[in-house]
């Protein structure tokens, strides 16, 4: 079944500095959380979708990749060293991570065991909670700097919070994500298998996959420049370039990557 957008991983070196930058743009940013595998995050939450500001917390806790084991933390550590800060993970919602992992294996886009973990969290009012997740990873050799996975919320009632989604700038929903590539059509087979969406739009500018929550677009460099006004280096690989968020009319703007730790943010009515 089609999978909607769940979250985007925004990889940074200084978690608090990145949180301050998001806060300065009028977003409410959650408190710091620690993962048992060596990373830490802070969350910007929207209805059904969130931005995960992520940094390395303790390299000693990071496990390396292994047979049928995709190490999320090792990927992020290596990606930071290789490519620097920026959007490093595209995550879809999952109702059954075990089933999604089996589907991904059957479609040839990653034979990884599902990964379960839990952690403590903090509600917007400061009260402690327990949250848990199970992840189904996919892999695309043509996108070496992007981690792809589906995320099943085991305790969604503890995670999603209307209070955390009340942003001073009026941000109300995710509109989509934008990937870039020299030839977007080269990547439709992987994205069809990853999203579960067979009906998509293809034009000279690129591809559009309309998910149940937000669009996944793949644009050429020229089309990306027309859309954002920004130049982007493109090659044969698939890169995660921008996040689109819906805001009230009059608040539209494009925040370039040099202002937001490698991520381009498109705020649109």
């Amino acid at each position: 079944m089609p999978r909607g957008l769940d979250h985007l991983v925004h990889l940074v070196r200084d978690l608090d500095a990145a949180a301050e930058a998001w806060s300065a743009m009028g977003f409410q940013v959650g408190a710091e959380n620690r993962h048992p595998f060596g990373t830490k995050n802070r969350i910007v939450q929207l209805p059904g979708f969130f931005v995960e500001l992520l940094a390395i917390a303790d390299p000693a806790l990071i496990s390396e990749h292994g047979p049928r084991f995709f190490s999320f933390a090792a990927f992020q550590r290596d990606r930071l060293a290789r490519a620097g800060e920026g959007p490093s993970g595209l995550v879809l919602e999952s109702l059954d991570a075990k089933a999604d992992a089996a589907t991904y294996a059957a479609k040839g886009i990653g034979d990884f065991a599902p990964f379960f973990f839990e952690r403590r969290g903090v509600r917007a009012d400061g009260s402690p909670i327990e949250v848990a997740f199970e992840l189904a990873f996919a892999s695309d050799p043509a996108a070496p700097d992007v981690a792809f996975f589906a995320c099943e919320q085991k305790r969604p009632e503890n995670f999603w919070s209307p209070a955390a989604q009340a942003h001073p700038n009026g941000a109300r929903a995710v509109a989509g994500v934008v990937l870039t590539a020299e030839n977007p059509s080269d990547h439709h087979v992987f994205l069809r298998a990853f999203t579960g969406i067979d009906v998509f739009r293809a034009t000279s500018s690129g591809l559009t996959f309309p998910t149940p929550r937000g669009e996944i677009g793949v644009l050429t460099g020229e089309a990306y420049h027309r859309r954002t006004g920004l130049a982007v280096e493109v090659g044969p690989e698939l890169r995660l370039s921008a996040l689109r968020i819906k805001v009230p009319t009059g608040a539209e703007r494009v925040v370039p990557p040099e202002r937001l730790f490698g991520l381009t943010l498109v705020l649109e009515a």
Side-chain angles (χ1 to χ4, degrees), residues 252-264:
E252 304 97 328
R253 59 184 169 129
V254 175
V255 182
E258 57 268 22
R259 287 190 53 199
L260 198 58
F261 298 82
L263 172 67
T264 296

Side-chain angles (χ1 to χ4, degrees), residues 45-202:
Q45 192 177 120
L46 295 163
F49 176 87
F50 65 97
V51 179
E52 179 180 17
L53 306 180
L54 185 85
I56 304 301
D58 186 350
L61 295 178
I62 297 177
S63 298
E64 301 302 326
H65 298 290
R68 300 198 67 228
F69 175 66
F70 185 96
S71 173
F72 171 80
F75 176 91
Q76 300 297 336
R77 176 200 62 197
D78 297 344
R79 196 267 190 206
L80 187 63
R82 179 178 64 249
E85 298 175 303
S88 63
L90 178 57
V91 190
L92 304 182
E93 63 183 346
S94 173
L95 300 179
D96 186 336
K98 291 182 176 65
D100 285 332
T103 297
Y104 290 160
K107 291 182 177 293
I109 61 168
D111 186 13
F112 302 105
F115 179 68
F116 172 84
F117 74 96
E118 53 192 344
R119 65 165 173 80
R120 292 181 63 82
V122 181
R123 295 187 190 274
D125 64 6
S127 60
I129 51 171
E130 297 286 340
V131 293
F133 313 87
E134 191 162 18
L135 314 179
F137 289 98
S139 178
D140 182 5
D145 291 334
V146 185
F148 295 95
F149 57 98
C151 176
E152 178 187 354
Q153 291 268 358
K154 295 294 188 179
R155 298 171 191 152
E157 69 281 1
N158 286 351
F159 183 84
W160 299 111
S161 166
Q165 297 164 16
H167 301 284
N169 65 6
R172 51 187 65 165
V174 61
V177 297
V178 183
L179 299 106
T180 52
E182 190 174 64
N183 295 304
S185 61
D186 291 347
H187 305 281
H188 79 277
V189 173
F190 171 80
L191 289 171
R192 285 177 64 187
F194 178 55
T195 62
I197 296 170
D198 289 325
V199 180
F200 61 94
R201 296 193 298 274

